[in-house]
Amino acid sequence: MLTEVGQLFLIEAQQIIHQWDKSIERFQLATKGIQEKIIIAMTPLMVETILPYVIYQFINENPSIEISILVEDSAKIEDLINSDKAHIGISLLPTRYRHWHQELLVESPLEMVIPLDAFDDISNLHFIYTPSSNYLGGFIT
């Protein structure tokens, strides 16, 4: 248990360590020719689909900026930005904050993919898709 003075010193010491770590990181980035680091929070789906193209394009246009990716659920991305753990968020959900800038990156139709003849063990439904009619029908077997 720390005294009141000890608690004050602990807070100061933690701030000094944090600043020291930030200074070391900036020094290491500078030795690599990197001027800035950006942390992007993204959903797993975005990491697998949009990330490779966007990051490749960004890195080619901005070689002096290092990119770090945090993979998180859409619902948690705003909290990461609010707590300064990420600078940018790429999410499937719209923002709750009116003063934040939001931009649509990709428009994509929703597609359902199933085998041409599928059986669902949980619901005991057998699905049949006939490409000529574009009809997806289900019946109990």
Side-chain angles (χ1 to χ4, degrees):
M1 185 93 150
L2 294 175
T3 65
E4 190 175 318
V5 174
Q7 283 285 9
L8 180 63
F9 179 76
L10 177 64
I11 292 169
E12 293 291 325
Q14 288 171 336
Q15 290 174 349
I16 290 169
I17 291 170
H18 179 71
Q19 182 59 47
W20 174 265
D21 290 341
K22 283 177 62 175
S23 296
I24 295 294
E25 181 181 7
R26 278 198 307 269
F27 176 74
Q28 289 172 341
L29 291 174
T31 59
K32 293 190 235 174
I34 295 172
Q35 298 171 356
E36 186 121 16
K37 180 178 179 180
I38 294 177
I39 302 170
I40 302 173
M42 300 178 85
T43 65
L45 179 64
M46 294 292 116
V47 168
E48 293 177 9
T49 57
I50 191 173
L51 177 67
Y53 171 75
V54 171
I55 295 299
Y56 177 76
Q57 183 178 353
F58 185 85
I59 289 172
N60 281 337
E61 294 173 7
N62 304 282
S64 65
I65 299 176
E66 181 176 289
I67 304 291
S68 292
I69 305 296
L70 290 175
V71 181
E72 192 57 74
D73 293 333
S74 286
K76 296 179 182 176
I77 289 179
E78 285 181 329
D79 295 334
L80 288 171
I81 294 169
N82 256 343
S83 64
D84 293 326
K85 293 180 182 168
H87 302 109
I88 298 170
I90 299 178
S91 172
L92 300 172
L93 299 175
T95 182
R96 299 176 304 217
Y97 303 102
R98 284 189 248 149
H99 65 279
W100 285 14
H101 176 75
Q102 179 174 308
E103 200 168 309
L104 182 65
L105 295 178
V106 176
E107 278 189 85
S108 177
L110 178 64
E111 296 182 17
M112 183 171 135
V113 180
I114 62 167
L116 292 178
D117 186 10
F119 179 76
D120 181 15
D121 291 330
I122 296 171
S123 65
N124 288 328
L125 290 177
H126 189 106
F127 295 97
I128 300 173
Y129 174 74
T130 55
S132 60
S133 66
N134 287 333
Y135 171 75
L136 177 64
F139 60 88
I140 298 176
T141 59

